[in-house]
Amino acid sequence: NYPGEVADRWAYRDGSGEVGVIASVTEPFCDDCSRARLTADGQLYTCLFASIGHDLRAALRGGNTDADLAKQIGAIWQKRDDRYSELRTRATKDGLGLPVIDPQRVEMSRIGG
């Protein structure tokens, strides 16, 4: 219903609501992903399955302008190589097994996933 939406949605027959499913592992959307999350402690995560974030706290507290922050976030986004769901799906389809999940990866509850 909006650019970048990743959920498949089904409406209740009576029109009282809907159910949406985001199947990021079985139907990855890494190439079209436009989502990032910023934690309360200033870490920017460019993937729900990330093991590390990018520290923006100093920039946020250091008096940077909005333009400075946009430039820094843009540079992080341009260099991102998060493709966990894509790689997992490819490996599974090719019979290679699942990639190893980093035991240090951030929990989705921490980044609002």
Side-chain angles (χ1 to χ4, degrees):
N1 295 330
Y2 59 87
E5 180 173 22
V6 294
D8 290 323
R9 297 176 183 271
W10 292 272
Y12 295 120
R13 287 183 186 176
D14 66 4
S16 65
E18 67 180 15
V19 174
V21 175
I22 300 172
S24 67
V25 174
T26 57
E27 296 179 31
F29 51 88
C30 301
D31 281 341
D32 296 330
C33 183
S34 62
R35 295 160 188 231
R37 288 171 170 78
L38 182 64
T39 62
D41 63 352
Q43 296 292 312
L44 178 71
Y45 288 90
T46 59
C47 180
L48 284 176
F49 296 104
S51 56
I52 60 167
H54 302 272
D55 188 11
L56 294 180
R57 183 172 31 192
L60 289 166
R61 292 184 174 173
N64 288 286
T65 66
D66 288 350
D68 294 335
L69 290 170
K71 186 176 179 179
Q72 185 173 356
I73 293 168
I76 291 168
W77 191 259
Q78 291 288 327
K79 294 177 186 172
R80 79 179 191 93
D81 59 359
D82 307 303
R83 298 250 182 280
Y84 176 80
S85 293
E86 217 172 66
L87 295 173
R88 178 180 172 153
T89 299
R90 189 176 309 132
T92 302
K93 286 181 179 176
D94 293 343
L96 301 175
L98 299 178
V100 175
I101 297 175
D102 184 342
Q104 300 300 314
R105 76 181 172 89
V106 67
E107 292 300 323
M108 290 198 296
S109 61
R110 180 164 184 251
I111 61 172

